[in-house]
């Protein structure tokens, strides 16, 4: 259940459309699906089967498989630490937007922020980068600090309960994003120009399939997902 939750996240909601638009629309979809079948799919099956068999963490699993492979597990743990730190910062930004969205008019709308763009709003109101200048600074940004603290607090509470608590939380973290994706999809298909976007997704630019960058991007995207 937890592994299924990885399929719906920032990597697919945010990054995937950008990658698809950059690498030929439907052509990227073809490379993505082939990478799913021949790279990510087998790795997913291997991970679930090995986890079910050994009922241990990464280090214990690889040690039981072949003792010298334990070093691979430590690399995996280190990568999770790096990715978790990166994602916590992104979630902190999302918390700020989530809290500020409880208004009749969104504060980053041009009418509400004096004609500013969403990029300017992000830099000035969310990151407060203007006050730091071009050289940066060491001042603690209270808004970012509190948002990041809230994200880490929720993470700690989820992990403190152990695997039994995580299993229960997984039902929400998997099912609720699916519901949100359905809502976003229903809203998106009603927007002006939605047909053009769908057409671009389904019409491949086959020339992109001859480029190594397309296949590399597709493989990294499916593994990132």
């Amino acid at each position: 259940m937890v592994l299924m939750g990885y399929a719906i996240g920032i990597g697919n909601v945010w990054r995937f459309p950008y990658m698809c638009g950059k690498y030929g629309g439907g052509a990227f979809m073809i490379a993505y699906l082939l990478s799913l079948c021949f790279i990510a799919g087998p790795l997913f099956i291997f991970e679930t089967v090995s986890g079910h068999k050994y009922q241990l963490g990464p280090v214990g699993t690889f040690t039981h498989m072949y003792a010298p492979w334990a070093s691979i597990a430590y690399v995996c743990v280190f990568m999770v630490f790096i990715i978790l730190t990166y994602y916590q910062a992104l979630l902190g930004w999302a918390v700020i937007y989530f809290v500020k969205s409880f208004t009749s008019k969104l504060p980053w709308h041009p009418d509400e922020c004096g004609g500013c763009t969403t990029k300017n709003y992000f830099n000035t109101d969310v990151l407060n980068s203007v006050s730091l200048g071009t050289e940066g600074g060491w001042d603690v940004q209270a808004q970012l600090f509190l948002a990041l603290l809230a994200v880490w607090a929720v993470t700690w509470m989820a992990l403190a309960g152990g695997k039994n608590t995580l299993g229960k939380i997984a039902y929400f973290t998997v099912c609720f994003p699916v519901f949100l994706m359905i809502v976003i999809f229903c809203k998106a298909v009603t927007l002006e120009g939605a047909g053009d976007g769908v057409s671009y997704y389904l019409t491949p630019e086959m020339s992109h399939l001859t480029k190594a960058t397309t296949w590399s991007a597709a493989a990294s995207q499916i593994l990132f997902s």
Side-chain angles (χ1 to χ4, degrees), residues 118-157:
T118 54
K119 181 178 180 180
N120 290 337
Y121 179 85
F122 175 71
N123 289 328
T124 57
D125 290 68
V126 178
L127 298 183
N128 196 24
S129 60
V130 176
S131 65
L132 301 178
T134 57
E135 298 181 357
W138 292 97
D139 297 337
V140 176
Q141 304 300 311
Q143 178 178 242
L144 292 172
F145 174 77
L146 293 176
L148 193 58
L149 181 64
V151 171
W152 277 109
V154 172
T155 303
W156 180 84
M157 287 187 291

Side-chain angles (χ1 to χ4, degrees), residues 38-135:
F38 295 104
I39 299 176
L43 288 175
F44 178 82
I45 295 173
F46 168 76
E47 184 174 356
T48 52
V49 170
S50 58
H52 179 74
K53 177 179 180 181
Y54 295 105
Q55 299 291 309
L56 296 170
V59 177
T61 298
F62 278 98
T63 301
H64 278 72
M65 292 174 61
Y66 183 58
W69 288 357
S71 57
I72 300 177
Y74 287 107
V75 173
C76 296
V77 173
F78 178 74
M79 290 177 61
V80 169
F81 172 77
I82 297 297
I83 295 174
L84 178 62
T85 305
Y86 167 73
Y87 263 92
Q88 297 294 74
L90 296 182
L91 290 175
W93 299 346
V95 168
I96 295 174
Y97 277 99
F98 177 74
V99 172
K100 291 190 174 184
S101 66
F102 286 93
T103 57
S104 58
K105 292 185 178 180
L106 296 177
W108 51 87
H109 191 278
D111 294 340
E112 296 296 313
C113 57
C116 70
T117 63
T118 54
K119 181 178 180 180
N120 290 337
Y121 179 85
F122 175 71
N123 289 328
T124 57
D125 290 68
V126 178
L127 298 183
N128 196 24
S129 60
V130 176
S131 65
L132 301 178
T134 57
E135 298 181 357

Side-chain angles (χ1 to χ4, degrees), residues 22-44:
K22 183 178 180 180
Y23 294 103
F28 181 80
M29 290 285 292
I30 294 174
Y32 180 83
L33 292 175
L34 289 176
S35 298
L36 170 63
C37 294
F38 295 104
I39 299 176
L43 288 175
F44 178 82

Side-chain angles (χ1 to χ4, degrees), residues 190-214:
T190 62
L191 297 176
E192 182 180 356
D196 296 334
V198 173
S199 177
Y200 185 78
Y201 266 94
L202 300 179
T203 305
E205 296 182 23
M206 302 305 293
S207 60
H208 282 272
L209 292 177
T210 62
K211 301 177 182 179
T213 53
T214 301

